[in-house]
Amino acid sequence: MAPRDLEPRHPAEPGEPGPRGPRDWDEVPAELAFADDGSAPDGPSRWERRRRVIRFTVIVALVAMLAPIVLSTVSVAQSSAARSCAVIVSAYDRDAAGSHVALELFGPGGAGWICYADASGEPRPVANLGLLPGAPPRVLGPDEVSS
């Protein structure tokens, strides 16, 4: 004969004590059940508030992680564009007093850093350097420029 602990046990009926005490898992916890009159509770539940707080925290964390990367990329692109523009303007527009760049979404040649030559009081677009400008194209030296 098998020991008593190894004998198969039949499940208890709801409300009857089972092998490990009363079986009450058929009852719905209060926070998951509606009010006694059958209507939904007023206002957000504890879990909805927690979900909103977690969602807000995740969004703030993502912005905090991505903001320095975006700002650094824009800063490096602006300084690269300014240096490239200065080289291009000095080589191709001898009458220019200076140069500047601007990030334009709908500029000539599409989105990107537009190089302007400052000459005779009005800036003239010289080149579109792209969104992430690099070194300027090979610039002809003073001996190579055709007069």
Side-chain angles (χ1 to χ4, degrees), residues 85-94 138-142 145:
C85 183
V87 169
I88 291 171
V89 168
S90 69
Y92 291 117
D93 194 352
R94 298 195 188 283
R138 182 177 181 280
V139 177
L140 300 175
V145 175

mmCIF file of all heavy atoms in Angstrom, residues 85-94 138-142 145:
data_model
loop_
_atom_site.group_PDB
_atom_site.id
_atom_site.type_symbol
_atom_site.label_atom_id
_atom_site.label_comp_id
_atom_site.label_asym_id
_atom_site.label_seq_id
_atom_site.Cartn_x
_atom_site.Cartn_y
_atom_site.Cartn_z
ATOM 1 N N CYS A 85 32.800 75.721 -46.199
ATOM 2 C CA CYS A 85 32.283 76.877 -46.920
ATOM 3 C C CYS A 85 33.353 77.958 -47.057
ATOM 4 O O CYS A 85 33.493 78.566 -48.117
ATOM 5 C CB CYS A 85 31.046 77.420 -46.206
ATOM 6 S SG CYS A 85 30.262 78.800 -47.061
ATOM 7 N N ALA A 86 34.106 78.198 -46.002
ATOM 8 C CA ALA A 86 35.171 79.211 -46.065
ATOM 9 C C ALA A 86 36.210 78.846 -47.122
ATOM 10 O O ALA A 86 36.674 79.711 -47.885
ATOM 11 C CB ALA A 86 35.824 79.360 -44.702
ATOM 12 N N VAL A 87 36.552 77.571 -47.225
ATOM 13 C CA VAL A 87 37.535 77.135 -48.227
ATOM 14 C C VAL A 87 36.965 77.283 -49.631
ATOM 15 O O VAL A 87 37.644 77.788 -50.542
ATOM 16 C CB VAL A 87 37.961 75.665 -47.949
ATOM 17 C CG1 VAL A 87 38.764 75.110 -49.104
ATOM 18 C CG2 VAL A 87 38.731 75.573 -46.654
ATOM 19 N N ILE A 88 35.734 76.877 -49.826
ATOM 20 C CA ILE A 88 35.115 76.948 -51.152
ATOM 21 C C ILE A 88 34.957 78.396 -51.601
ATOM 22 O O ILE A 88 35.288 78.752 -52.737
ATOM 23 C CB ILE A 88 33.752 76.223 -51.150
ATOM 24 C CG1 ILE A 88 33.962 74.722 -50.986
ATOM 25 C CG2 ILE A 88 32.967 76.519 -52.413
ATOM 26 C CD1 ILE A 88 32.681 73.955 -50.748
ATOM 27 N N VAL A 89 34.494 79.268 -50.715
ATOM 28 C CA VAL A 89 34.279 80.673 -51.085
ATOM 29 C C VAL A 89 35.614 81.357 -51.379
ATOM 30 O O VAL A 89 35.725 82.123 -52.346
ATOM 31 C CB VAL A 89 33.487 81.408 -49.980
ATOM 32 C CG1 VAL A 89 33.513 82.910 -50.194
ATOM 33 C CG2 VAL A 89 32.057 80.914 -49.953
ATOM 34 N N SER A 90 36.630 81.077 -50.571
ATOM 35 C CA SER A 90 37.932 81.726 -50.836
ATOM 36 C C SER A 90 38.528 81.273 -52.158
ATOM 37 O O SER A 90 39.282 82.025 -52.776
ATOM 38 C CB SER A 90 38.895 81.442 -49.689
ATOM 39 O OG SER A 90 39.259 80.077 -49.674
ATOM 40 N N ALA A 91 38.214 80.069 -52.617
ATOM 41 C CA ALA A 91 38.783 79.572 -53.870
ATOM 42 C C ALA A 91 37.973 79.991 -55.089
ATOM 43 O O ALA A 91 38.555 80.246 -56.142
ATOM 44 C CB ALA A 91 38.872 78.051 -53.818
ATOM 45 N N TYR A 92 36.656 80.047 -54.965
ATOM 46 C CA TYR A 92 35.831 80.276 -56.142
ATOM 47 C C TYR A 92 35.251 81.671 -56.260
ATOM 48 O O TYR A 92 34.780 82.047 -57.334
ATOM 49 C CB TYR A 92 34.672 79.264 -56.174
ATOM 50 C CG TYR A 92 35.132 77.855 -56.442
ATOM 51 C CD1 TYR A 92 34.946 76.854 -55.504
ATOM 52 C CD2 TYR A 92 35.758 77.534 -57.642
ATOM 53 C CE1 TYR A 92 35.375 75.565 -55.744
ATOM 54 C CE2 TYR A 92 36.195 76.246 -57.889
ATOM 55 C CZ TYR A 92 35.999 75.264 -56.938
ATOM 56 O OH TYR A 92 36.429 73.995 -57.177
ATOM 57 N N ASP A 93 35.234 82.443 -55.216
ATOM 58 C CA ASP A 93 34.647 83.784 -55.282
ATOM 59 C C ASP A 93 35.622 84.767 -54.648
ATOM 60 O O ASP A 93 35.589 85.013 -53.455
ATOM 61 C CB ASP A 93 33.302 83.803 -54.560
ATOM 62 C CG ASP A 93 32.489 85.045 -54.884
ATOM 63 O OD1 ASP A 93 33.026 85.959 -55.533
ATOM 64 O OD2 ASP A 93 31.311 85.083 -54.480
ATOM 65 N N ARG A 94 36.463 85.328 -55.459
ATOM 66 C CA ARG A 94 37.509 86.217 -54.937
ATOM 67 C C ARG A 94 36.960 87.568 -54.467
ATOM 68 O O ARG A 94 37.600 88.265 -53.705
ATOM 69 C CB ARG A 94 38.569 86.441 -56.006
ATOM 70 C CG ARG A 94 39.254 85.158 -56.410
ATOM 71 C CD ARG A 94 40.523 85.461 -57.173
ATOM 72 N NE ARG A 94 41.121 84.278 -57.734
ATOM 73 C CZ ARG A 94 41.811 83.382 -57.052
ATOM 74 N NH1 ARG A 94 41.958 83.520 -55.766
ATOM 75 N NH2 ARG A 94 42.334 82.345 -57.660
ATOM 76 N N ARG A 138 38.074 69.057 -54.037
ATOM 77 C CA ARG A 138 39.393 69.608 -54.368
ATOM 78 C C ARG A 138 39.218 71.010 -54.924
ATOM 79 O O ARG A 138 38.460 71.232 -55.865
ATOM 80 C CB ARG A 138 40.090 68.731 -55.397
ATOM 81 C CG ARG A 138 41.468 69.226 -55.732
ATOM 82 C CD ARG A 138 42.138 68.277 -56.712
ATOM 83 N NE ARG A 138 43.466 68.744 -57.015
ATOM 84 C CZ ARG A 138 43.739 69.711 -57.885
ATOM 85 N NH1 ARG A 138 42.777 70.333 -58.505
ATOM 86 N NH2 ARG A 138 44.987 70.060 -58.123
ATOM 87 N N VAL A 139 39.899 71.938 -54.292
ATOM 88 C CA VAL A 139 39.822 73.335 -54.683
ATOM 89 C C VAL A 139 41.068 73.666 -55.485
ATOM 90 O O VAL A 139 42.188 73.328 -55.094
ATOM 91 C CB VAL A 139 39.715 74.246 -53.443
ATOM 92 C CG1 VAL A 139 39.699 75.693 -53.861
ATOM 93 C CG2 VAL A 139 38.481 73.887 -52.651
ATOM 94 N N LEU A 140 40.858 74.317 -56.630
ATOM 95 C CA LEU A 140 41.986 74.708 -57.464
ATOM 96 C C LEU A 140 42.795 75.799 -56.781
ATOM 97 O O LEU A 140 42.241 76.710 -56.178
ATOM 98 C CB LEU A 140 41.481 75.209 -58.824
ATOM 99 C CG LEU A 140 40.679 74.214 -59.658
ATOM 100 C CD1 LEU A 140 40.148 74.892 -60.896
ATOM 101 C CD2 LEU A 140 41.499 73.015 -59.995
ATOM 102 N N GLY A 141 44.087 75.702 -56.878
ATOM 103 C CA GLY A 141 44.955 76.719 -56.323
ATOM 104 C C GLY A 141 44.975 77.958 -57.190
ATOM 105 O O GLY A 141 44.425 77.972 -58.291
ATOM 106 N N PRO A 142 45.620 79.055 -56.712
ATOM 107 C CA PRO A 142 45.633 80.303 -57.495
ATOM 108 C C PRO A 142 46.314 80.136 -58.855
ATOM 109 O O PRO A 142 45.955 80.810 -59.817
ATOM 110 C CB PRO A 142 46.434 81.266 -56.625
ATOM 111 C CG PRO A 142 46.685 80.588 -55.343
ATOM 112 C CD PRO A 142 46.272 79.166 -55.465
ATOM 113 N N VAL A 145 43.648 78.377 -61.484
ATOM 114 C CA VAL A 145 42.390 79.018 -61.848
ATOM 115 C C VAL A 145 42.577 79.719 -63.175
ATOM 116 O O VAL A 145 43.527 80.453 -63.388
ATOM 117 C CB VAL A 145 41.961 80.035 -60.756
ATOM 118 C CG1 VAL A 145 40.711 80.797 -61.190
ATOM 119 C CG2 VAL A 145 41.739 79.331 -59.443
#
